[in-house]
Amino acid sequence: MSIVEIRVPEIGESVTEVTLSQWLKSDGDYVEMDEEIAEFESDKATLEFPSPNAGILHIIAEEGSDLQVGDLVCKIDTAAAKPAATATPATTPSPEPTPVAKADPTPVKAEPVSSGKPGKVEEIRVPEIGESINEVTLVAWLKEDGDIVALDEEIAEFDSDKATLEFPSPFAGKLKIIASEGEDLKVGDLVCTIDTGFAGASAPAPSAATPAPAAQPAPTPAPAPTPTPQPAPATKSHATGHPSPAAAKAMAENNIAPTQISGSGPDGRITKQDVLAFLRDGGTAPADQVVAAVEASGGSREQSRKKMSRMRRTISRRLVAVKNETAMLTTFNDVDMSKVMAIRNQYKKVFEEKHGIRLGFMSFFIKACANALMKYPAVNAYIDGDDMITNNFADVSIAVSTPKGLVVPVIRNAESLSMAGLEGKVRELAKKGRDGNLSLEEMTGGTFTITNGGVFGSLMSTPIINAPQSAILGMHRIEERPVVIDGQVVVKPMMYLALSYDHRIIDGKESVGFLVEVKNQLQNPEQLLLGADPVKLVLGL
Amino acid sequence: MKYDITVIGSGPGGYIAAVRCAQLGMKVAIVEKYNTLGGTCLNVGCIPSKALLDSSEHYFNAQHTFSEHGIGVGKLELDFPQMIKRKSEVVGVTTGGVEYLMKKNKIDVFTGMGSFKDKNTILVSGEKEQTIQTDKVIIATGSKPSTLPFIKIDKKRVITSTEALELQKLPKSMTIIGAGIIGCELGSVYARLGTKVTIVEYLDRIVPGMDKDIAKELMRSMKKNLKIDFQLSHKVTAVSTTTRSTTVTAENKKGESVEFKAEYCLVAVGRRPYTEGLGLEHIGVSTDERGRIPVDEHFQTAVPGVYAIGDVIKGAMLAHKAEEEGVCVAEFIAGQKPHINYRLIPGVVYTWPEGAGVGYLEEELKEMGREYKVGKFPFKASGRARASMDTEGFVKVIADKETDEILGVHMLGPRIADLIAEAVVAMEYRATAEDIGRMSHAHPTFAEAMKEAALDAWAGMPLNI
């Protein structure tokens, strides 16, 4: 028989971690080669994962777990026959009730633990996680000290700079916790030990191994303690889950039951720090205290809490990073939309008949920006280390709101596409985005971004740059406003434009010039089509 | 102006509540009937009695143990008025400390008798009449010495603890009714100074509520060293006085009537909640059959916004219990959720040897049917105790037979009023006897007795006995 370990493949240049959102096959299923067995969610897209081999599937990673490229996802027993023969050795535990077989239904796991042998204590250290990660924080123990853990069972949760990782036990056996929750650990630091001699002893540890205080000789007549078999695991005691006075107060104030917290104090006592850590890591929010202070006025005051999706977490991290790492500021202008609207009204029908697509506003803006980007290359450039990269093409990212969050598919070479070509592309990408079908390729790159808050009714906003790009244009709602033209107050359909840009490489002259250029093109659509003033063009100026 | 909180009574419950409220950002007023702050505890209770206990202990030692230490003092003289004066100075400094705390926390002090006009208006009747507008009120009026129905306290010959701390001349003889904490402490003071003390007690034991072994051993010590005459199982039936003497008539176990004559009769039968003149009827709060104000678990009375703590509510009449409640009620009002573990409020008697206990009594555990084990260590076996000639007493640790969890600690001995704190900490964390046995205790200290008793309770293996 041969077992193939299936790991998270290289997905794309910038994707180093994925969330296993769903198993499409069940543990023990027979899968064909290239049959899709799981669904991964990366920062950018949902990917279906085809099995590279045919055989019996043994699921390792749990749904919802975050995985690094190279992490073990599952194993496939390629020697297994097709499902007709159900009694494959792979799925049937050994008939002998050896403890090993009980804990480890899969045959591979028999390797590290040979059943009859006396146990060996294995030291478990922080593994190499990724190139740039050399320190992790032990966020939580998922198993308690003294628990019997199975091979690959997740025993702890680490937080690195980049992700939260669940740490599977490399051995089966009895866990002895060394590092405590909240501790910062370096790669190679001791995390715990696993006594493989206990593999499979899922029942309470034998009393011989329980160093119960009662097992001491008692010379006095009064207490004649006999070794009492402890029903609970060795570390459990009468005080397990007992909070210190300060912890008890914090728990009462936050409606936390002792059962919700695993105490890190001696014998599982709950320390104040445990309660604070529980709250920090997303335990029950202190809603009740608010109620007490505010004297609830009758309405429902429920809160709910769930972990952010990986995509949401990535978005939040990126946005904050941009704010912190760039010299971002925003310049505004306004644009009279009458001519664009007139053209649109005039040609809407013909355009749709000819191209089979509606003529929207988006194509005008993309075109205007693409033209302006060619004129102001700094706006189309970006910083890479100490270098500045300029582009002679305008790959315009369009922010699309999807149920899962904002995505930014890219329209490549927008400067050379026709209006119909642009409009078609916008439509296609928006639909794909909403359906969650955008490929990584379609979302990578981009030299400039356009976001349209106007569709939600925004009057004015300061969009955040889509890194590593250097500028983003914010469109807003069109509304009729009084403007003064030649000393006359007239009503015009106006839109505010916002350009957020990275001042590190774009100067005020360029950014303002760019925005004025966009404005001029939109107010004079004939320029838009030719990329320049037609009169000047004709006159060769 | 309107206060957030008005505290009535400035004893250890009231002034601590006021300080905590102020720390939590409330604007606080405190009303005190007397001219000095601090209530019973500081003025006529804990502090002055400890001052006299320490003074009398020095005198007693000078008389009885100094020669053994190799110190001759010649003719020993007792300056009793000076002893009382020093006590008053201690009280003065201590109550002054409370005044400072009020200033520091910007708490306004109103001197006069506080009473409710309504639940938001407190009338202060002192040198002048004032009213205080307040959002909430904390009643912390404490307690007064109580008596028996047929006894008339004339405050001259038939006195309470308050007068017993103010005597100007050392009595030749004193009959004390009640062998509780107060009776034993004040009995010790006077017996040490040479007064012939007789303590008449209705029960068959002294210091009820404390461990039986403590009661037995303490009585033995007080009889032997202080020559106190204990008359247990005696029911006092009458107290009569002349200008110079008192006669306490009691019925003994056999039903015979016996008389105890002495210069003074100290009535130490307990204390009762003090609510007279508080105007509770104006806000619709009534007291229970023992005169206590009923409160809910947040110390709130039947009237929302009116709270009560300390001796005036149920529970042990102890300064440190009132203090805990003072902190708690302030925090409850601020929306926090503190908790008091009443089982772990220690009780202490400041005799010599001192007696202290926390947690369950053996009798209680027996009644509950809980299986327990006991470890005991006598101070006779303590090097520190021998060095200081304080070898009376013991530490007793009671632990759960199964889990070894410490369920009760009771001790009698030198400075154990301070040592009981270790037991409280251990029990708050539900430590086992073994836990204590494995913690280093400095040598040589009285505290080592705690460790040894714990080792004994854990596995019957004390190291030094």
Side-chain angles (χ1 to χ4, degrees), chain A residues 130-413:
Chain A
E131 209 172 295
S132 61
I133 299 175
N134 37 38
E135 200 180 75
V136 293
T137 307
L138 176 57
V139 183
W141 279 106
L142 306 175
K143 294 283 160 187
E144 286 184 19
D145 194 53
D147 277 3
I148 305 301
V149 299
L151 175 66
D152 286 337
E153 191 174 3
E154 270 142 10
I155 53 176
E157 207 173 88
F158 288 136
D159 239 351
S160 76
D161 309 346
K162 303 202 171 149
T164 301
L165 314 163
E166 260 140 31
F167 181 55
S169 173
F171 298 94
K174 184 172 166 187
L175 175 69
K176 181 169 177 358
I177 287 178
I178 308 270
S180 51
E181 286 183 4
E183 208 174 302
D184 291 332
L185 300 168
K186 293 219 160 50
V187 169
D189 278 359
L190 192 60
V191 183
C192 59
T193 63
I194 289 179
D195 184 348
T196 56
F198 281 85
S202 57
S207 60
T210 312
Q216 296 288 335
T220 61
T226 45
T228 44
Q230 296 272 80
T235 49
K236 284 248 161 91
S237 84
H238 66 280
T240 303
H242 175 73
S244 78
K249 179 169 182 281
M251 285 164 67
E253 286 170 1
N254 293 292
N255 285 328
I256 303 167
T259 47
Q260 288 175 266
I261 295 190
S262 68
S264 69
D267 287 351
R269 283 174 176 79
I270 298 172
T271 66
K272 183 178 176 182
Q273 199 54 42
D274 292 336
V275 182
L276 298 181
F278 177 81
L279 290 171
R280 194 187 55 226
D281 297 343
T284 312
D288 197 68
Q289 175 146 17
V290 177
V291 174
V294 180
E295 294 204 1
S297 53
S300 167
R301 300 176 50 74
E302 274 172 36
Q303 291 184 320
S304 71
R305 181 182 287 260
K306 62 178 184 192
K307 198 167 181 178
M308 291 196 289
S309 70
R310 171 155 289 281
M311 192 171 178
R312 190 31 73 187
R313 277 182 277 163
T314 303
I315 290 170
S316 74
R317 199 180 57 236
R318 286 232 184 118
L319 291 176
V320 172
V322 169
K323 280 226 156 193
N324 289 337
E325 289 161 16
T326 66
M328 184 166 67
L329 75 163
T330 307
T331 177
F332 299 98
N333 217 313
D334 61 353
V335 55
D336 174 0
M337 293 293 287
S338 359
K339 284 194 181 163
V340 170
M341 287 170 87
I343 290 178
R344 190 163 163 257
N345 282 334
Q346 193 181 341
Y347 297 104
K348 194 162 63 179
K349 230 175 160 185
V350 196
F351 188 88
E352 197 164 347
E353 276 165 17
K354 175 101 199 286
H355 302 294
I357 198 161
R358 279 181 54 219
L359 178 60
F361 287 119
M362 207 60 199
S363 48
F364 290 92
F365 281 87
I366 299 170
K367 195 78 201 165
C369 286
N371 289 341
L373 286 171
M374 292 300 103
K375 195 168 168 186
Y376 294 94
V379 184
N380 199 35
Y382 59 88
I383 292 179
D384 181 21
D386 288 338
D387 300 334
M388 179 170 155
I389 315 274
T390 51
N391 305 292
N392 74 342
F393 51 88
D395 282 0
V396 179
S397 307
I398 307 293
V400 178
S401 175
T402 76
K404 283 188 175 177
L406 204 64
V407 293
V408 274
V410 182
I411 296 175
R412 312 234 177 245
N413 288 93

Side-chain angles (χ1 to χ4, degrees), chain A residues 333 511-521:
Chain A
N333 217 313
S511 62
V512 176
F514 173 88
L515 201 54
V516 168
E517 178 68 24
V518 170
K519 171 190 170 130
N520 285 340
Q521 297 214 15

Side-chain angles (χ1 to χ4, degrees), chain A residues 213-214 216-220 222-225 228 238-239 242-245 248-250 252-255 269 288-289 292-293 295, chain B residues 136 331 334-339 373-374 401-405 427-432 434-435 438 456-462:
Chain A
Q216 296 288 335
T220 61
T228 44
H238 66 280
H242 175 73
S244 78
K249 179 169 182 281
E253 286 170 1
N254 293 292
N255 285 328
R269 283 174 176 79
D288 197 68
Q289 175 146 17
E295 294 204 1
Chain B
K136 295 184 170 73
E331 292 180 349
Q336 301 181 15
K337 291 188 177 175
H339 175 73
K373 46 190 184 164
V374 177
K401 196 166 182 182
E402 284 263 310
T403 64
D404 196 36
E405 179 182 4
M427 291 172 73
E428 279 283 7
Y429 286 90
R430 300 190 65 180
T432 60
E434 185 187 359
D435 288 329
R438 292 194 182 282
D456 187 30
W458 164 47
M461 294 199 299

